[in-house]
Amino acid sequence: MYLPLVVLMYLLIFITEGLPILKKKQKRITALYFSLLFISFILMSMLVLGLKIPGPSETIKKVVFLILGKKDGG
Amino acid sequence: MGKEVISDKQGIALIFLYILDSALILPIAAEAGKDVWLALLISIAATISVMLIYVRILSACGDKDLFDLLHTTFGAVFGKVITLLLVWFSFHLASVTLRDFGEFIVTVTLPNTPKPIIMLLPTLLCLWFAKEGIEVIGRFSELWLYIFPVMFAVIVILLIPVMDIRKLQPIMENGITPVLDGAFSAFAFPFAETVIFLMLFSSLQSQKSIAKVCIVGLLAAGAVMIATKLTDMLVLGERVYLSIYFPSYSSVARLKVGDFLQRLEILVGLVFTVASTVKVALCLLASCKGISKVFGNDDHRFIVTPMALLMFCLANILYENIMELVNWTTTVWRYYALPFQVGIPLAIFIGIIAKRKPA
């Protein structure tokens, strides 16, 4: 239901911000900008489609507890 | 792009709001129980010593920023690695703070509104703030520097009739260990989170006053924090303080002066909203500055939109619910944040000294 809105939002961002960056023809900046924008688009689409995306919190918790030698109590 | 400049007062206001933020409403230093004020005092003292390292690093920057200093001190590769670590920390912190905001609003005021919608509005505001730069955030914070302390003072004074000093006694009933545990917790969240300012305070008007700005900002926020937590404890008592998610909101909710002055908990919501916006904007700005520097660009503005959208997505997927948020914040955050708050600054400090030492 919200997916068309997300697509529209990203289209607007592409027109207002993406195109001027493309015109500058600076490879590194263009690559960085569009790769981050693409990742955020994928994540945002998955969010609005209600797909479950694993967050980093559980992994960080496991790593921290592994280093500290603690047991995960919850 | 011209260099952005903020005054000392704006710097103090930024630190003040940045520290207060979520710490104002969440039960920080809960491990210390009714000795929370003691734990806060110890953590403030510990933060001052760490902040002196931050000040030393910022003083070593001179006219450049932290990222240039890292490049010259540690070389291109290692300098970029440290920059990326700091970028990740500030980006993650921005998402965590945004999620705190979403959970607070959903829990206390808008339970039927979808959380992403609640988080989207501050995201857009912070996006604009980060694009405008630290000058605009500084001016916005300065506005609130006088309003908030007065608001806190009025609330605390009005709450005196419902306070009970016996709720603080006996002091250190369970020994010093829980107090130190609470102090460590409060050190990691919120005081030492000020490490973010390493990436931002190259904009201070006078580099000579870095120490004054940092210490005054910390002490002002610390004083308000102690007053708030002491009030929470005196009004609610240890058992209630530890059993609810937002004790400050609940303690102010008990304020009733006759039939005309009540429902002042909205003021807590206001303070939290403003402080959260400032904190998220500062963290987002710091991460954008860092990532654009890594890619060889001095202007951070081009990357703000994708970073803000990513921050919004990350905030949505961080936790399943508020219980997981509180559990993660109380059990994991302090250990996870310590390397970023103390380890990396210490390494930079040692690197600066080693570089300056004649061979």
Side-chain angles (χ1 to χ4, degrees):
Chain A
M1 181 184 155
Y2 292 111
L3 195 60
L5 282 176
V6 170
V7 174
L8 189 71
M9 184 178 83
Y10 275 85
L11 206 63
L12 277 174
I13 293 170
F14 177 75
I15 293 166
T16 54
E17 274 196 350
L19 286 179
I21 287 175
L22 271 178
K23 279 178 191 166
K24 280 183 185 170
K25 289 179 181 171
Q26 289 174 302
K27 275 183 189 171
R28 293 173 84 180
I29 288 173
T30 311
L32 175 69
Y33 179 85
F34 282 103
S35 50
L36 290 181
L37 197 67
F38 181 70
I39 296 168
S40 73
F41 175 69
I42 298 292
L43 287 174
M44 194 81 86
S45 305
M46 287 169 84
L47 274 176
V48 297
L49 288 173
L51 299 172
K52 191 167 163 50
I53 312 165
S57 303
E58 200 52 42
T59 315
I60 293 170
K61 189 178 182 177
K62 278 180 188 163
V63 171
V64 167
F65 281 14
L66 187 77
I67 293 166
L68 294 174
K70 270 185 157 188
K71 271 195 171 178
D72 189 353
Chain B
M1 188 187 165
K3 195 183 180 221
E4 294 175 302
V5 177
I6 53 166
S7 68
D8 290 356
K9 202 188 284 179
Q10 288 168 350
I12 292 169
L14 285 174
I15 291 191
F16 179 73
L17 287 182
Y18 181 90
I19 291 177
L20 283 185
D21 171 54
S22 322
L24 195 69
I25 55 147
L26 290 170
I28 58 160
E31 297 85 350
K34 53 180 168 285
D35 299 318
V36 61
W37 60 277
L38 206 55
L40 285 173
L41 277 176
I42 296 169
S43 62
I44 291 168
T47 311
I48 288 175
S49 55
V50 175
M51 213 166 229
L52 291 176
I53 297 176
Y54 300 167
V55 170
R56 183 70 186 78
I57 295 169
L58 282 166
S59 305
C61 288
D63 294 335
K64 295 172 182 172
D65 59 18
L66 178 78
F67 311 113
D68 294 324
L69 182 81
L70 289 174
H71 187 86
T72 49
T73 311
F74 295 99
V77 178
F78 203 53
K80 276 181 184 173
V81 171
I82 297 176
T83 303
L84 284 174
L85 285 171
L86 288 170
V87 165
W88 163 252
F89 182 68
S90 53
F91 180 70
H92 187 204
L93 183 56
S95 306
V96 170
T97 310
L98 186 63
R99 182 59 183 258
D100 287 347
F101 176 79
E103 292 291 354
F104 173 73
I105 298 292
V106 166
T107 308
V108 301
T109 50
L110 302 169
N112 295 322
T113 309
K115 217 176 293 160
I117 300 296
I118 291 168
M119 292 195 291
L120 186 64
L121 298 175
T123 303
L124 295 176
L125 188 60
C126 293
L127 191 156
W128 176 72
F129 264 145
K131 266 192 188 286
E132 291 299 316
I134 198 164
E135 278 184 1
V136 173
I137 309 173
R139 269 181 260 143
F140 175 75
S141 305
E142 198 180 3
L143 270 178
W144 299 96
L145 188 62
Y146 302 105
I147 301 170
F148 283 167
V150 173
M151 217 185 288
F152 288 127
V154 170
I155 289 173
V156 171
I157 291 166
L158 290 175
L159 276 170
I160 288 175
V162 287
M163 289 181 188
D164 182 2
I165 192 75
R166 283 170 299 182
K167 286 176 178 165
L168 285 184
Q169 296 164 336
I171 293 170
M172 286 208 280
E173 191 181 9
N174 300 315
I176 189 81
T177 315
V179 177
L180 292 177
D181 205 18
F184 176 35
S185 197
F187 171 79
F189 169 67
F191 295 115
E193 283 177 359
T194 42
V195 66
I196 296 297
F197 286 96
L198 280 179
M199 294 180 266
L200 300 169
F201 266 3
S202 55
S203 301
L204 264 184
Q205 200 168 27
S206 165
Q207 292 295 311
K208 287 175 188 164
S209 54
I210 294 171
K212 188 187 91 183
V213 170
C214 291
I215 303 295
V216 171
L218 171 71
L219 291 179
V224 171
M225 189 85 74
I226 290 173
T228 314
K229 297 300 161 192
L230 208 53
T231 306
D232 291 348
M233 203 55 80
L234 286 165
V235 172
L236 302 170
E238 186 181 3
R239 203 165 51 87
V240 181
Y241 180 85
L242 298 178
S243 61
I244 50 180
Y245 293 125
F246 308 113
S248 297
Y249 191 82
S250 302
S251 63
V252 179
R254 297 194 179 190
L255 204 162
K256 274 183 191 147
V257 181
D259 287 331
F260 67 99
L261 201 57
Q262 48 189 307
R263 306 254 168 181
L264 286 182
E265 61 268 34
I266 191 70
L267 294 179
V268 177
L270 174 74
V271 175
F272 180 55
T273 306
V274 171
S276 280
T277 309
V278 169
K279 188 170 180 177
V280 175
L282 286 173
C283 291
L284 181 65
L285 178 65
S287 54
C288 291
K289 276 180 180 246
I291 198 93
S292 53
K293 268 279 184 193
V294 168
F295 282 79
N297 200 309
D298 283 334
D299 188 359
H300 68 276
R301 285 176 296 187
F302 78 99
I303 204 68
V304 172
T305 308
M307 288 290 274
L309 293 169
L310 273 175
M311 174 190 78
F312 172 77
C313 294
L314 184 60
N316 274 289
I317 62 173
L318 274 174
Y319 318 106
E320 289 283 323
N321 48 45
I322 190 168
M323 280 181 284
E324 198 184 323
L325 181 152
V326 173
N327 181 278
W328 198 87
T329 309
T330 50
T331 58
V332 183
W333 179 259
R334 53 186 179 164
Y335 303 112
Y336 161 72
L338 203 63
F340 298 100
Q341 294 169 338
V342 181
I344 291 178
L346 206 62
I348 299 171
F349 181 62
I350 293 167
I352 292 167
I353 292 172
K355 188 91 178 171
R356 292 235 172 126
K357 214 172 175 182

